[in-house]
Amino acid sequence: MRILGIDPGIAIVGFGFIDKQGSKCVPVQYGCIQTEAHTPEEERLLHVYEGMVQLIDKYKPDAVALEKLFFNRNVTTAMSVSQARGVMVLAAMQKGLPVSEYTPMQVKQAIVGYGKAEKRQVQEMTRMFLKLQAIPKPDDVADALAVAICHAHSCTLNSKLNEVLRS
């Protein structure tokens, strides 16, 4: 199963493709889509959308997992990121891909085993899970890979629960 993990943003969208092979997660490709500051928001949204479509077409994921947005201060940023998230979901849905969302706490729990883990702990565990030489940069990329790993763990658990419930 190939999973696309996404850390939504308007300036930087982190993405990470992993293959779930049994109990292992293998990195396929990761990076970010960046938009230029001081560019009209509609152009930035188009750039994010087109980048997402190209990535989906090239790497052909079976599922998409996004980090749920959480903002407690800057409403303007929240609106821009929410719109960017919307075009990412649109790109996935147009390709017929299932989309799942995970809170930062769920991702931390899945990666570190503690829902209030520090960002650096999550990044280091992500590096170790994927046997990477270094923590991917910028942070948005490491976050996207962590979301993909979280989904890999969650879909395994969900399929086992469904098997038990069916029997």
Side-chain angles (χ1 to χ4, degrees), residues 11-27:
I12 300 174
V13 176
F15 69 84
F17 290 88
I18 64 169
D19 283 346
K20 183 178 178 328
Q21 299 172 346
S23 62
K24 291 191 319 183
C25 292
V26 179

Side-chain angles (χ1 to χ4, degrees), residues 14 34 50 56 59-60 63 84 93 100 105 107 139 145 167:
Q34 294 183 292
E50 289 175 340
I56 290 169
Y59 295 102
K60 304 195 182 327
M93 296 304 293
S100 300
M105 188 175 277
V107 174
D139 289 352
L145 287 166
S167 48

Side-chain angles (χ1 to χ4, degrees), residues 47-121:
H47 183 73
V48 168
Y49 173 78
E50 289 175 340
M52 197 56 53
V53 168
Q54 288 173 356
L55 288 167
I56 290 169
D57 286 345
K58 184 172 183 177
Y59 295 102
K60 304 195 182 327
D62 300 301
V64 175
L66 289 106
E67 185 170 82
K68 264 190 185 172
L69 300 179
F70 173 76
F71 288 94
N72 61 356
R73 289 206 178 103
N74 192 335
V75 175
T76 304
T77 302
M79 295 299 287
S80 294
V81 175
S82 293
Q83 288 180 319
R85 183 195 166 285
V87 300
M88 293 172 219
V89 170
L90 174 63
M93 296 304 293
Q94 283 181 327
K95 300 294 181 177
L97 298 171
V99 176
S100 300
E101 287 185 298
Y102 299 94
T103 65
M105 188 175 277
Q106 287 172 308
V107 174
K108 291 173 182 181
Q109 181 72 40
I111 303 297
V112 180
Y114 176 59
K116 295 185 180 178
E118 296 293 321
K119 188 175 199 66
R120 180 75 182 160
Q121 290 173 296

